[in-house]
Amino acid sequence: MKAIMEAIKALNLDVLSINPVKDSYSSTVRILELKQGQRVVLKIPFSKEKLLREEKALGLLAANPLVPRLLNIWYGDESNPGALLLSYIDGTPMVLPANEETIYEMGKALAEIHTVKLDRFELDDRETDWAMSVKNKIASWVLEIQDFIAPSMLESIDVFLNEKIKLLNQADGPCLVHFDYRPGNVLVRHGKIVGVIDFETSRGGSAEIDFTKVSNLIWKESPEHKRMFLEGYTSVRKLPSLQEVLPIYSFYHAIGGMAWCVRRGQLEDDFFYENLIALQAILTADELGSILR
């Protein structure tokens, strides 16, 4: 609460009420009712890096009607990462199953984000090659999780990474990628998509990576949803090559999720075990595939 009050003071807000938001994991998010009658969103990112990423993305997407407007920003101080003041979108996070029109719109909304071209890949500040930056990022996360997984799994991770990374050489980008595109970050009202939120991890990347959570959370449950999503996407831009690379990005997200938990000391969190199970499934499927080949 202290950080919230400091941000309110820094942004010179006259607040009537402060309301919590469900399912906000990395950042602190509150809906504020201002005394002028306006409803706004206050977001305090986990780090200054996330603050700056969201600021940049919102600027690049300022003309996109589904994206919150950046009303004000506080760059923080020695003890605070800062805060974003965002326009409020009257909607609720998308839940599944959803109707075909909503799935179509979700695909279209992602394609609109990917139409924003950038001048470089931004996954690794030291590396401009997309495949190598993905490899470097995974390698850094492996160092964080290595004490919490079996040595045999570490060996399998190394084999998988070195064999598969070359498949990312034909990157679709650099373009703006959301990096956490999933139903929870898509707002819906009366069956229509009204907002896309949470750009704190967005950056210049390869478009295919944004299909990872869509594939894992939506397509696996319903082939019909996959068809409608892709129809929506291709109504705006050409579809990237996905079939071979999606397992690599699922691998990337699983290891990254585990490292996220290690970094925050949340090893007993369900999120850690969900990602561990996902990683085991990817490695097992790859090893079985190698035997069958």
Side-chain angles (χ1 to χ4, degrees):
M1 193 65 178
K2 180 182 176 182
I4 295 169
M5 298 311 298
E6 288 176 345
I8 288 172
K9 181 179 179 181
L11 293 167
N12 195 29
L13 300 174
D14 201 0
V15 176
L16 185 62
S17 67
I18 302 172
N19 305 292
V21 173
K22 291 182 179 180
D23 301 329
S24 180
Y25 301 108
S26 179
S27 300
T28 300
V29 182
R30 297 291 187 271
I31 297 172
L32 306 181
E33 299 279 356
L34 304 183
K35 290 186 178 178
Q36 305 94 306
Q38 184 183 8
R39 183 178 291 182
V40 295
V41 175
L42 179 70
K43 180 172 184 178
I44 303 174
F46 181 76
S47 67
K48 177 64 70 67
E49 179 185 34
K50 289 180 180 291
L51 177 100
L52 297 177
R53 287 198 184 283
E54 185 136 14
E55 178 191 27
K56 179 179 178 180
L58 294 178
L60 291 169
L61 294 167
N64 189 319
L66 295 179
V67 175
R69 289 179 291 114
L70 179 60
L71 303 175
N72 203 351
I73 187 168
W74 173 47
Y75 291 103
D77 52 32
E78 296 79 8
S79 57
N80 295 287
L84 301 148
L85 190 68
L86 309 173
S87 63
Y88 173 77
I89 298 175
D90 185 13
T92 57
M94 177 180 166
V95 295
L96 300 174
N99 63 52
E100 290 187 359
E101 183 181 357
T102 304
I103 297 296
Y104 180 94
E105 290 180 353
M106 188 181 183
K108 186 176 179 180
L110 180 60
E112 294 287 357
I113 294 170
H114 292 167
T115 61
V116 178
K117 301 298 183 183
L118 295 177
D119 57 2
R120 66 183 295 272
F121 294 112
E122 299 173 320
L123 187 60
D124 183 345
D125 291 337
R126 300 162 299 174
E127 179 61 68
T128 58
D129 178 83
W130 176 249
M132 286 306 300
S133 63
V134 170
K135 184 176 182 180
N136 290 345
K137 185 65 72 172
I138 292 172
S140 71
W141 288 336
V142 170
L143 292 177
E144 293 185 74
I145 69 172
Q146 62 183 353
D147 293 336
F148 307 99
I149 59 177
S152 59
M153 180 174 277
L154 282 173
E155 293 174 10
S156 297
I157 288 171
D158 188 61
V159 170
F160 182 95
L161 183 57
N162 288 310
E163 285 185 354
K164 303 294 185 182
I165 199 66
K166 60 182 179 292
L167 296 173
L168 302 186
N169 286 335
Q170 300 301 317
D172 182 353
C175 64
L176 185 67
V177 294
H178 185 284
F179 235 75
D180 193 19
Y181 198 72
R182 55 186 175 84
N185 285 328
V186 175
L187 302 182
V188 177
R189 186 174 70 248
H190 304 312
K192 297 276 189 179
I193 291 180
V194 293
V196 179
I197 60 172
D198 200 4
F199 289 86
E200 65 180 32
T201 55
S202 66
R203 67 197 73 193
S206 186
E208 316 96 67
I209 198 167
D210 268 344
F211 290 83
T212 314
K213 294 184 179 182
V214 172
S215 174
N216 291 339
L217 298 174
I218 300 178
W219 296 354
K220 288 181 180 178
E221 299 298 321
S222 171
E224 184 64 17
H225 280 358
K226 179 177 181 180
R227 181 179 68 81
M228 293 306 299
F229 187 97
L230 295 181
E231 283 187 13
Y233 189 92
T234 54
S235 72
V236 176
R237 76 188 295 268
K238 182 180 178 182
L239 186 69
S241 177
L242 298 175
Q243 185 172 352
E244 289 188 313
V245 301
L246 281 180
I248 305 169
Y249 290 126
S250 293
F251 173 80
Y252 171 95
H253 279 294
I255 294 179
M258 292 171 66
W260 186 92
C261 291
V262 170
R263 211 172 298 128
R264 290 162 174 78
Q266 298 177 5
L267 294 176
E268 300 303 319
D269 195 284
D270 288 345
F271 188 58
F272 180 85
Y273 290 103
E274 288 169 7
N275 282 290
L276 176 60
I277 291 168
L279 179 59
Q280 289 171 329
I282 293 164
L283 296 174
T284 300
D286 184 65
E287 289 166 0
L288 179 59
S290 298
I291 292 171
L292 295 176
R293 287 193 295 269

